[in-house]
Structures are given as structure tokens and as C-alpha cells.
Amino acid sequence: MSPIPVLDYALFGGDTKGEFVRAWGEAARGPGFLVVANHGVDGALIRAMFDAADTFFAQPMEAKSKVSIDQSPHNRGYAGTGSESLDEASGLMDQKEAFNMGLDLAPDDPRVLAGEPYRGVNLWPDVPGFSETFRAYFDAVLDLGQNLHRAIALDLDLPEDYFAGHFDQSMSTLRVLRYPPVSTPTPDEIGAGEHTDYGSITLLVTDGTPGLQVKPRDSDEWINVPHVEGAFVVNIGDLLMRWTNDTYVSNPHRVQRPLRERRSIAFFMDPNPDSLVEKLPTIAGDPHYPPILAHEYLTYRLTATYSQKHPGNAA
């Protein structure tokens, strides 16, 4: 049996809310990973996201390069295979390609014109229906993530709406990923290197192809993350671990090179740029980390991820 629990989101309502909150708290303090089923995000929308991503990734490199992340100072656009190294210690380049979008703002939005951190326009490829699908999915999963933060607040003895003001204009990133297949994986190849996620929580849906593994901090053993059709894999990120003063655990994970093509859709939930992340008031003990603004932390982590400095590294 997998140590990664499957939670029924339908319990987070009515008289069963406490049951969901307790299960969430146990998972957040343990493996830092859980699977959330019955989450309410439309399955047809998830399928449409995979279809849009497949169409985009099937385009020639010339077309994908027109929306390269190198053109964005806000971590938006296309990142090609070998452009990232999540495992900074090994130096292995990730064998994946990806496309990012963030909060969708107009070019004349005052925050864009002022050059605020991670307040930029999205780069959209010439794929019919692509931007509409991505916007709809972004909104749906952001809503789910905001509700999960209500469960987090309750588990930590905070008011249920404690985190609402930290995610109403968040730096969250929606990222679709494609891992090309390899017939014989070698030790010097990795789909996505060992890393922890940067933000508060990550909500991930995959096509079912295996490869995602997590390593609890008290173990040297890699654990395969189970696939539950239609469900989200949710994991704790570094900023939430800082917020909770290590009460919650952001565990290292990786993606092995797959034997067949692997596709996933990740929603990295980061707070508003000016959110101050510091030990929560209900957490006992001295702070383990100094306070930091969310946008400063994100820039620090992104800078270390890419193989060469490009505008996407800076706010």
C-alpha cells in the first residue's frame, strides 16, 4: 500500500469537513504528498488541456520558439528540452519541454505598465482555442487551490479565510509538460531532476504514465506516486513549509525518464508578489527562517533552475 493517501474532496463540506482537514494535516506533516479525488474540476476541461498541449508541442521548433520563455521577464512561455536543471547538485539537464502561463493581464494593466514583479502578459502560441482553454483551467484550479488553503488554515488553527488575501492576485503558474520517451534510460539522464517545489502547494494531473517519485526527508528510498484517474496529486511547497516553520514538509521529488511519452499539467500555487512569508501566528517555537517576500523567493529559486541566465529569471 502506498504511503501517499487518497483524500475525498467531497468530504470538505458539511459535517465531514473535519475529517478531510485531519487527513490533510496528516499527509502534509508526513509524505508532503497526497491525492485529491472528487475535486470538482471538469474532466472535459482537463482533457481539453491535454489536447491543447499536445497540439502545441507537436508544432515545429520554429513555431514554439516564437513564444520562448527567453522573451518574458515574468516566467511565461515555452521552455525547451535541456533548458532547465532542477537538480542543481547533479547538473543534469531535465529532459522535458514545457509551456507556462500566469495571471492573465492586459498590456495596459497598471501593474504591467509599472513593471511589478511577475506582472506581465502571457505569450500565446498560434493554436486555435489554446488561450481560452488555458484561462478556463487556470481559473478552475486556482479556485480549488484557494479552497484547499481553507483546509490548511483550519488544520493550523487559523481563521478559515486566513490565506484568502495572499492568493487573490497570486503569482501562480500553470505549466504543461511533455517528457519524450527513451528506450533505455541511463543514469546520466533524468526527466526532471530531484527538487522541491517553490511555492505553497502544487496541483498536478498526469496522463497516467509513471515516472513521478517522492523521497521523504527521513528516508533514502524513492516512492512511486500513485496515479488515480482524474484526481490531482497535491504536494507541499517550500514557501508553505517556511510559513508553517517546518510543521508541513516539502519533500524532494523527481520524474524519471519514461519509456513512453509522458504528459502532465502542473499548477504551482504561489502567493501574491508582496505577500510576506513568515512563521504563522499559531505555530509554536522560534522561527526557522527569516521573513521573505514571495516574489523575492520565487526569483531566487528560478535563477538557479535555468541553464543560462535569461529574462525569465528576473522579476
Side-chain angles (χ1 to χ4, degrees):
M1 178 183 248
S2 172
I4 299 171
V6 178
L7 275 62
D8 184 354
Y9 182 70
L11 294 175
F12 191 57
D15 296 337
T16 57
K17 179 182 288 189
E19 183 179 343
F20 181 89
V21 170
R22 284 191 296 274
W24 172 279
E26 290 176 3
R29 290 167 173 81
F33 271 71
L34 59 150
V35 176
V36 176
N38 296 322
H39 44 71
V41 177
D42 189 354
L45 180 57
I46 295 174
R47 291 190 293 275
M49 277 292 296
F50 277 116
D51 290 344
D54 288 345
T55 301
F56 171 71
F57 288 132
Q59 290 187 315
M61 186 56 67
E62 180 182 3
K64 291 185 283 191
S65 296
K66 290 180 180 178
V67 289
S68 170
I69 201 169
D70 291 333
Q71 302 175 33
S72 171
H74 306 287
N75 195 37
R76 316 287 177 91
Y78 172 72
T81 302
S83 64
E84 299 177 5
S85 178
L86 287 172
D87 187 344
E88 301 164 27
S90 75
L92 294 178
M93 303 311 299
D94 295 357
Q95 300 303 302
K96 67 180 192 295
E97 57 180 339
F99 178 87
N100 294 2
M101 76 158 283
L103 185 68
D104 198 44
L105 300 175
D108 60 353
D109 187 287
R111 293 165 292 182
V112 175
L113 296 176
E116 292 183 12
Y118 299 99
R119 295 306 192 209
V121 296
N122 286 306
L123 305 179
W124 297 117
D126 186 16
V127 175
F130 188 94
S131 62
E132 292 83 358
T133 300
F134 270 63
R135 291 187 185 105
Y137 187 89
F138 186 99
D139 291 344
V141 182
L142 177 61
D143 183 66
L144 173 62
Q146 289 170 327
N147 284 329
L148 290 176
H149 277 80
R150 292 168 50 212
I152 293 169
L154 291 173
D155 177 59
L156 298 172
D157 297 320
L158 294 162
E160 188 170 337
D161 63 351
Y162 181 87
F163 291 102
H166 288 286
F167 292 95
D168 55 350
Q169 296 293 314
S170 77
M171 297 185 297
S172 298
T173 298
L174 170 57
R175 164 170 264 212
V176 290
L177 301 110
R178 174 186 174 270
Y179 298 87
V182 61
S183 57
T184 307
T186 63
D188 61 349
E189 292 183 313
I190 192 73
E194 178 179 346
H195 66 287
T196 54
D197 288 346
Y198 314 150
S200 186
I201 61 173
T202 300
L203 299 95
L204 177 80
V205 64
T206 80
D207 63 1
T209 301
L212 178 61
Q213 298 180 317
V214 59
K215 183 171 66 174
R217 291 181 188 255
D218 60 356
S219 171
D220 292 327
E221 180 183 356
W222 286 99
I223 300 169
N224 293 321
V225 177
H227 174 73
V228 176
E229 188 65 31
F232 280 99
V233 175
V234 181
N235 64 277
I236 306 302
D238 294 341
L239 276 183
L240 188 53
M241 190 165 81
R242 292 173 73 109
W243 245 329
T244 64
N245 213 35
D246 295 338
T247 300
Y248 283 5
V249 183
S250 173
N251 274 323
H253 49 284
R254 68 184 183 186
V255 177
Q256 294 183 307
R257 289 218 66 183
L259 298 179
R260 64 177 187 270
E261 182 183 61
R262 182 179 188 273
R263 303 123 72 230
S264 63
I265 308 169
F267 190 89
F268 300 101
M269 197 160 178
D270 284 89
N272 298 348
D274 58 355
S275 284
L276 184 65
V277 178
E278 58 184 344
K279 183 176 77 70
L280 294 167
T282 54
I283 303 293
D286 295 330
H288 297 171
Y289 309 96
I292 191 168
L293 292 174
H295 78 86
E296 293 176 343
Y297 187 76
L298 180 59
T299 296
Y300 160 70
R301 293 299 300 272
L302 288 173
T303 300
T305 297
Y306 289 93
S307 60
Q308 56 185 349
K309 184 173 177 62
H310 64 69
N313 289 331

